[in-house]
Amino acid sequence: TTVASSVPFYIMASKPKLSETIFGHGNFKYRLELEWGNLNPKTHPVKNCHEMVMDKKGRLFMLTDHVKNNILIYDKSGKLLDSWTLKLPGGHGLTLHDEGDDEYLYITDPNLGKVLKTTLTGTIVKTFDSPKDNGAYKSNMHFRPTETAIGPNGDVYIADGYGSQFILQYDAKGNYIRKFGGDSFLQEAKFKQAHGVALDARDPNNPTLLCSARIKNAFKRFTLDGKFIETYYLPGAYVSRPVIDGENLYSGVCFGMEEGDYNMKMNRGFVTILDKNHKVVSNPGGTKPKYKNGKLKIMYQDVPIFKHCHDVCVDNDKNLYVCQWNAGNVYPYKLCRV
């Protein structure tokens, strides 16, 4: 007791403890490493752990909206390698793009209405024009970007998920091309909270865009020039961005429902995993996916591991790292593939 009491809490909490309980379903089952990402909150504080990406060296870059350290860089064991900040008060979306010789980060801040391209060490190399400045938006329209995706030719797609609900397309030099989507609960090709956007290149001959329509419990597929294709409805799942890894799609479910009450509920997060045929195959922290006559039944949180899952990062061993919004300043959790 004397020895333990002399050890700072943050060091004790950073020691990995792997849960004996197995979460998930089918071939996608995991054991939870709750304290994987724990750091000293005095030197490396977080508010919301919004998103995480992995570079070619296997380093994990995590974005938080704490101005002291917007970026925390971990190795897969949970060791902190480095940190830096751009003093962004609303750091939200984080996309990594490999340009051959170098990799770059695309960061969105909906609080400031900014989209930035940076090096992996935090040097800003490009700031994208606001759609109010290039004529895409009228002056009274809101621009609060939440996510980016990079097309095969280098085009940049910006999801205005907390603003006017458009996906905005720019070329690699930052010149505005077009917008598509917009705000509507009823129209299928439009969004309610276009929270995420991702390039889906699982069919290399026909790459497309997957976009989150969080309030509609859905992902929507578009062509690279903004033509609507189809919707994947995920009842009960207020999804974050789609994350493509191999044949599968992963997403954090930020909000959920309760049985008999179909309103959006706080603290009901889980992770959802879809196969290449857009069928849900596992819900770590959530109920087992069930289909009846080909239609997915409503999914719910099953075990209260998570409060609000904001992103999922998949490493090369197929372990998952889960970032959370509004979860009491917790660091990322690791789900170790069984």
Side-chain angles (χ1 to χ4, degrees), residues 114-226:
K114 282 190 174 183
V115 180
L116 306 172
K117 178 182 179 181
T118 78
T119 66
L120 297 188
T121 55
T123 300
I124 298 173
V125 298
K126 186 184 297 294
T127 301
F128 287 81
D129 289 342
S130 165
K132 293 184 180 183
D133 297 331
N134 59 33
Y137 280 9
K138 296 179 180 179
S139 60
N140 63 343
M141 294 174 68
H142 296 293
F143 179 56
R144 301 188 65 202
T146 49
E147 194 62 76
T148 58
I150 316 302
N153 66 348
D155 283 358
V156 179
Y157 298 86
I158 300 170
D160 188 12
Y162 292 159
S164 297
Q165 308 302 311
F166 286 98
I167 307 296
L168 299 135
Q169 183 179 355
Y170 293 74
D171 68 19
K173 296 181 179 180
N175 300 306
Y176 171 72
I177 299 173
R178 65 171 62 86
K179 68 179 186 293
F180 54 92
D183 187 3
S184 172
F185 193 81
L186 296 177
Q187 295 183 51
E188 193 173 13
K190 295 190 177 184
F191 300 99
K192 276 293 180 185
Q193 205 169 108
H195 191 271
V197 58
L199 177 71
D200 186 354
R202 286 177 290 181
D203 179 354
N205 297 316
N206 185 33
T208 55
L209 296 171
L210 280 175
C211 308
S212 309
R214 176 183 275 175
I215 305 303
K216 294 186 178 185
N217 292 184
F219 291 119
K220 295 182 177 291
R221 187 180 300 279
F222 290 82
T223 65
L224 297 179
D225 57 357

Side-chain angles (χ1 to χ4, degrees), residues 6-285:
S6 67
V7 179
F9 168 77
Y10 65 86
I11 294 178
M12 295 172 64
S14 67
K15 295 180 180 179
K17 296 178 181 177
L18 200 59
S19 168
E20 293 298 322
T21 305
I22 294 176
F23 304 97
H25 309 94
N27 294 324
F28 296 86
K29 294 178 179 177
Y30 306 86
R31 293 170 66 192
L32 177 66
E33 197 172 320
L34 191 70
E35 298 162 354
W36 173 84
N38 284 8
L39 300 171
N40 183 350
K42 292 183 179 179
T43 56
H44 294 94
V46 296
K47 289 170 64 180
N48 300 292
C49 294
H50 272 135
E51 296 194 340
M52 181 183 281
V53 294
M54 186 173 71
D55 74 354
K56 289 188 288 189
K57 296 179 180 179
R59 298 178 299 175
L60 297 157
F61 288 70
M62 198 277 293
L63 178 69
T64 177
D65 51 0
H66 199 293
V67 294
K68 190 169 183 176
N69 44 235
N70 285 143
I71 294 287
L72 299 174
I73 306 172
Y74 291 94
D75 68 12
K76 290 189 290 184
S77 74
K79 177 185 176 182
L80 182 70
L81 301 175
D82 202 356
S83 66
W84 48 264
T85 187
L86 299 175
K87 297 184 178 180
L88 300 174
H92 185 279
L94 183 68
T95 300
L96 185 142
H97 186 236
D98 182 358
E99 296 190 6
D101 294 334
D102 296 294
E103 294 177 283
Y104 294 92
L105 298 172
Y106 289 76
I107 301 173
T108 67
D109 185 330
N111 291 17
L112 298 179
K114 282 190 174 183
V115 180
L116 306 172
K117 178 182 179 181
T118 78
T119 66
L120 297 188
T121 55
T123 300
I124 298 173
V125 298
K126 186 184 297 294
T127 301
F128 287 81
D129 289 342
S130 165
K132 293 184 180 183
D133 297 331
N134 59 33
Y137 280 9
K138 296 179 180 179
S139 60
N140 63 343
M141 294 174 68
H142 296 293
F143 179 56
R144 301 188 65 202
T146 49
E147 194 62 76
T148 58
I150 316 302
N153 66 348
D155 283 358
V156 179
Y157 298 86
I158 300 170
D160 188 12
Y162 292 159
S164 297
Q165 308 302 311
F166 286 98
I167 307 296
L168 299 135
Q169 183 179 355
Y170 293 74
D171 68 19
K173 296 181 179 180
N175 300 306
Y176 171 72
I177 299 173
R178 65 171 62 86
K179 68 179 186 293
F180 54 92
D183 187 3
S184 172
F185 193 81
L186 296 177
Q187 295 183 51
E188 193 173 13
K190 295 190 177 184
F191 300 99
K192 276 293 180 185
Q193 205 169 108
H195 191 271
V197 58
L199 177 71
D200 186 354
R202 286 177 290 181
D203 179 354
N205 297 316
N206 185 33
T208 55
L209 296 171
L210 280 175
C211 308
S212 309
R214 176 183 275 175
I215 305 303
K216 294 186 178 185
N217 292 184
F219 291 119
K220 295 182 177 291
R221 187 180 300 279
F222 290 82
T223 65
L224 297 179
D225 57 357
K227 295 181 176 61
F228 174 74
I229 300 173
E230 57 190 344
T231 295
Y232 308 122
Y233 179 46
L234 305 172
Y238 293 82
V239 288
S240 300
R241 71 163 164 179
V243 176
I244 308 295
D245 180 81
E247 293 186 341
N248 298 102
L249 183 158
Y250 300 75
S251 187
V253 176
C254 196
F255 305 93
M257 295 179 180
E258 294 179 354
E259 290 195 56
D261 184 346
Y262 304 120
N263 293 307
M264 183 173 73
K265 297 291 184 182
M266 302 281 285
N267 302 312
R268 295 293 186 272
F270 55 96
V271 173
T272 192
I273 306 170
L274 287 71
D275 67 14
K276 63 181 180 180
N277 299 313
H278 325 303
K279 182 178 180 180
V280 179
V281 291
S282 183
N283 287 322

